[in-house]
Amino acid sequence: MTIFVECGDTVEGHHCETYTRKEIFKGLRADPITQKPMVVYELSKNCSVEVTHALIFGDDDSIIRNEKNIHCKIGDKIKGESITLYVDTKRKLRIEVKEGLTGTHGGHLISTTKRTIGIVKYPFDNLLKLLGHTANSTSKQIIEK
Amino acid sequence: MIGNDKTIRLTIQGDNFTMKGIVQDNLAICTVVATPDGLAKTLLIDNNNTETLFVNAFNNRTRQLNYFKLYCSLLEGDITEDEFDDELDNKPDEYVVPIGTDADISIIEKALKLATRLKGLNSTDDFMSLFSINDKSMNTFITKSGKL
């Protein structure tokens, strides 16, 4: 199981398990990989998306995913302060609200059964310096681009 | 045309628009002869970008609105699920916000100026999807703005 936390890290799966404390429904948008219309949710306040059932790709599709560095294996997970979630459906998703999922908070759980894409929008605040997003970062990857 | 005294003389000719200018070290003199239409058309060339931004933003807002109206119709029972799906499949341009495209820094700057006067923009994602700007252009803008 690999966890990805950098801004722009993407996972894609046939079924995904999602945890969030807040979600905002944004309507229909073209997905960033295949431009297919998909329902979009903005997840925030500590969220994660994990692939539980992988998609099977042909050669061309695999090449596209490799070029865009998209993680598609079972167990691949993204975590962040805010995540953009695309689901291959045309209606709102069913969201299960559970209390006591962490030491202090409950959460909203979404289990998708259609093709799902998750993209980290904002990483966790305590990782910004490590990831090179601050002026005094030791890794200066963003500043040097 | 550069003269012997390093003076630049230029002539710009357009549709019913002629401008002649002399540029020296610290001085530039220009004369313009144009019909009102020619002058307006030439001066508005830069405003085509602003017009495009407005059109994109308005169309994307309309698409979002259309989708939510259609969804309300479904929830109220005015249309069936099959009719809902068919409408989205047959007319995607009416309901689906397209993926963002590359945008110059100047266009993003203009969009940012417009964004302060627009309602409903609560995040960079809202801003980018409204004006159809992709992540790559936005990241380039942020990086270059930090270096300026």
Side-chain angles (χ1 to χ4, degrees), chain A residues 14 23 35 38 48 54 78 88 91 96-97 106 110 124 126 129 132 134:
Chain A
H14 195 261
E23 74 289 335
Q35 285 79 56
M38 293 170 101
S48 66
I78 51 171
D88 187 6
R91 294 170 190 61
E96 185 184 355
V97 178
I110 306 171
F124 290 121
N126 58 349
K129 187 175 174 183
T134 62

Side-chain angles (χ1 to χ4, degrees), chain B residues 127-144:
Chain B
F127 170 79
M128 285 176 351
S129 68
L130 184 69
F131 289 106
S132 294
I133 295 170
N134 60 12
D135 282 340
K136 183 178 126 195
S137 300
M138 203 66 207
N139 288 336
T140 307
F141 172 78
I142 291 169
T143 308
K144 287 193 176 172

Side-chain angles (χ1 to χ4, degrees), chain A residues 93-118:
Chain A
L93 303 172
R94 196 177 79 81
I95 297 168
E96 185 184 355
V97 178
K98 266 192 172 175
E99 295 304 322
L101 286 173
T102 70
T104 39
H105 294 289
H108 301 182
L109 303 175
I110 306 171
S111 289
T112 63
T113 54
K114 301 278 177 86
R115 180 174 159 242
T116 305
I117 300 167

Side-chain angles (χ1 to χ4, degrees), chain A residues 27-56:
Chain A
L28 272 186
R29 221 182 274 176
D31 86 80
I33 303 170
T34 57
Q35 285 79 56
K36 191 177 173 189
M38 293 170 101
V39 143
V40 178
Y41 277 84
E42 293 297 332
L43 314 177
S44 57
K45 294 187 181 181
N46 185 9
C47 35
S48 66
V49 178
E50 182 179 359
V51 177
T52 53
H53 188 204
L55 279 166
I56 298 170

